[in-house]
Amino acid sequence: GESVGLHLPTLSVQEGDNSIINCAYSNSASDYFIWYKQESGKGPQFIIDIRSNMDKRQGQRVTVLLNKTVKHLSLQIAATQPGDSAVYFCAEFQAAAGNKLTFGGGTRVLVKP
Amino acid sequence: NAGVTQTPKFRVLKTGQSMTLLCAQDMNHEYMYWYRQDPGMGLRLIHYSVGEGTTAKGEVPDGYNVSRLKKQNFLLGLESAAPSQTSVYFCASTARGNSPLHFGNGTRLTVT
């Protein structure tokens, strides 16, 4: 069943195109960032992470970019596939704030065949 | 390995009833977290634990209590359920704070 919000920002993308999902984080002291993917009825799954001493990290078909100056994080998915349809969340970790991991509101990605 | 297991998967409560949600992990993780997920709100941290015998408040702790008596288990209690606690609850664990969380599949709770 549906486990995520009905009013999330939605990104519609054609199969095979690249997707870019953006996230603004709140705390300049955050030192670790993670992107999660959540499919309907399931818990979030780890995609890729990046530490604050980096500005780019690449995985398989995914790239995360970190711009600390404007507190912005993005996830790029290359050659988007139908299986990429899901809700994507960014999360920021602050060791100085008691080791809390705080999530952003999420973006729904719909892949059109 | 089973990973993170949450029980029950679904539950319906009446206002004022109490219940406990159980989270169990078999990865020997130190850190465990309870989140709730509501439509349009993303995931909000309720309580978390950085080790056996420790707990700390998150963003939305009111109306909930937790216990971490054993390293592998993290219990979330609702003493007197309210309709505002209708939500999907997710438990997660990780070996250390700055590493990816492993999530369970959630507990869907409805309070009428």
Side-chain angles (χ1 to χ4, degrees), chain B residues 47-64:
Chain B
H47 286 280
Y48 64 106
S49 168
V50 299
E52 180 180 318
T54 74
T55 63
K57 293 181 180 180
E59 301 171 70
V60 288
D62 294 342
Y64 305 95

Side-chain angles (χ1 to χ4, degrees), chain A residues 1-6 8 36-45 82-89 107-110, chain B residues 10 37 88 90 104-108:
Chain A
E2 187 65 48
S3 64
V4 295
L6 300 175
L8 294 170
Y36 286 91
K37 173 185 179 183
Q38 187 176 27
E39 296 173 286
S40 183
K42 296 183 179 179
Q45 295 175 284
D84 295 327
S85 291
V87 177
Y88 291 80
F89 293 96
T107 298
R108 185 187 307 277
V109 172
L110 293 176
Chain B
F10 302 95
Q37 186 172 41
V88 181
F90 287 100
N105 281 326
T107 295
R108 184 178 293 275

